[in-house]
Amino acid sequence: MQEIYELRTRLKTCPFSEDLIFKVVGENANIVKELYKEFASLHCPRVKRVLFKETNELKERILRLESSEAVAILLKFREFTKSILCTNFYMPFKQGFAFRIRGSTLPSSDFPSTPCPIFFQIGGLAVGLHIRFAEVSRGGVRLVFSVGTAAHETNRRSLLDEAYKLAFTQQFKNKDISEGGSKGIILLNKTQTLAEAKRQAPLAFKAYIDNMLDLLLPHHDVDDGLGISEVWFLGPDENTGTGGLLDWAAQRAKERGSVWWKAFTTGKLIQHGGIPHDRFGMTTASVEAYVKGIYNKLGLKEEEMTRIQTGGPDGDLGCNALLQTKSKTIAVVDGSGVLYDPNGLDVGELHRLCSLRFEGKPTNAMLYDSSLLSPLGFKVDQEARDIT
């Protein structure tokens, strides 16, 4: 099965490199200019809007090119133009280029369930997607870091697949509530170190939010081809749940005149209208109830159990699990690294790290006080190499 999956992944990989695309553009500059004119005729609010024509003189010119690669690439440009419902392309001041794209653009052979219009953005620090499967949907938005070229290539190839699958999974998770499922992913440009990625992350997140608001809020420089107003809802996820990012997003929506700014994000501070689910433990309480039920069924005492946990104080679920459990936690693995002590990690210190999250401060397992580790305990940072 793994071989079949890898083959399918390779077949779905874009066959055209960036270098080849640039080469085709350079060799066919006149056609590209005409493609831009077609784009403007469809999406520029300052010109009379026309209907997209499947077959026209421009398409015939493309089909007459000798290079099959050039034909395929330039026709994809036309397909992208056709798929756009609205864009901030013609706004004079923006954080990046943002597009609302028809969900039906995705090939049904690879994406059998058609999502609602997709948000796609290209910024100076990152590219991003937001996919949802119902008009009213909620799910987390995550920041993905790529240290080095190889990691970035892998993450870039899987970006659409991951966003689609996570949103689709969230749709099933939300099946018994009124909201559908969604997922947002912000893929940062490659960096040389994790520290560099973390420095860029807040700027990339804020650009993503501003680009999204460009399309959600009325603006005379945005020609909306959808015809109805939309609201996208965001929650905390990897690398976005701390540092006040979701509070900033809600406040930014308010500053720009949104009437739904309080509902725009969850995971906010209470004073900003939030009901932090890590504080009230809605998800974790359910999981822990199952765990306690298993203990009761097997006649086990929670205090005598040991716990190895994926997800630490920096995440909403991991944080709340550490606060709720009475078992002895011996290992925590989160985005910062691995924390381990066979004699048990200090409960007070774990709670201190969790409290930082509620204060809107950065926190993770690597901030654990090393002096509290036993001689057999250790911390291994995510960037560490050749550890023995």
Side-chain angles (χ1 to χ4, degrees), residues 279-296:
R279 175 168 297 184
F280 292 96
M282 291 178 282
T283 301
T284 312
S286 302
V287 175
E288 293 297 323
Y290 276 105
V291 173
K292 289 178 172 60
I294 293 171
Y295 290 158
N296 291 334

Side-chain angles (χ1 to χ4, degrees), residues 172-375:
F172 277 104
K173 289 169 66 177
N174 292 3
K175 63 183 177 60
D176 295 323
I177 62 176
S178 58
E179 296 175 334
S182 68
K183 180 62 66 173
I185 299 182
I186 306 167
L187 173 61
L188 262 67
N189 296 342
K190 69 175 181 180
T191 58
Q192 298 303 312
T193 64
L194 183 60
E196 182 186 357
K198 289 181 177 180
R199 286 195 300 270
Q200 294 180 4
L203 296 175
F205 177 85
K206 292 176 180 180
Y208 176 91
I209 294 299
D210 256 331
N211 290 333
M212 181 176 283
L213 292 172
D214 286 346
L215 303 190
L216 292 177
L217 301 174
H219 194 282
H220 61 274
D221 284 319
V222 175
D223 186 20
D224 190 352
L226 186 62
I228 60 173
S229 61
E230 288 188 303
V231 184
W232 298 331
F233 301 104
L234 311 176
D237 207 328
E238 294 176 14
N239 301 310
T240 63
T242 57
L245 292 179
L246 293 165
D247 292 271
W248 180 90
Q251 290 299 310
R252 182 60 172 161
K254 181 181 180 182
E255 290 171 6
R256 294 190 56 175
S258 167
V259 297
W260 34 256
W261 65 272
K262 281 190 177 182
F264 186 40
T265 61
T266 55
K268 304 185 298 295
L269 296 175
I270 292 176
Q271 55 264 40
H272 294 154
I275 305 176
H277 55 268
D278 50 0
R279 175 168 297 184
F280 292 96
M282 291 178 282
T283 301
T284 312
S286 302
V287 175
E288 293 297 323
Y290 276 105
V291 173
K292 289 178 172 60
I294 293 171
Y295 290 158
N296 291 334
K297 186 175 181 64
L298 298 178
L300 302 173
K301 293 184 178 180
E302 183 177 1
E303 294 80 0
E304 297 176 355
M305 297 295 102
T306 57
R307 171 180 292 230
I308 297 174
Q309 181 169 308
T310 301
D314 61 332
D316 51 349
L317 304 183
C319 175
N320 211 45
L322 290 171
L323 292 173
Q324 288 193 25
T325 184
K326 296 178 182 178
S327 58
K328 181 170 72 173
T329 301
I330 63 172
V332 172
V333 182
D334 66 7
S336 67
V338 177
L339 174 64
Y340 174 76
D341 193 329
N343 294 328
L345 296 166
D346 185 84
V347 174
E349 178 65 359
L350 291 175
H351 287 189
R352 182 188 72 82
L353 295 177
C354 291
S355 69
L356 294 176
R357 189 175 189 281
F358 295 123
E359 297 169 11
K361 298 177 181 178
T363 183
N364 58 60
M366 292 301 98
L367 297 179
Y368 185 91
D369 186 350
S370 299
S371 68
L372 297 174
L373 291 170
S374 74

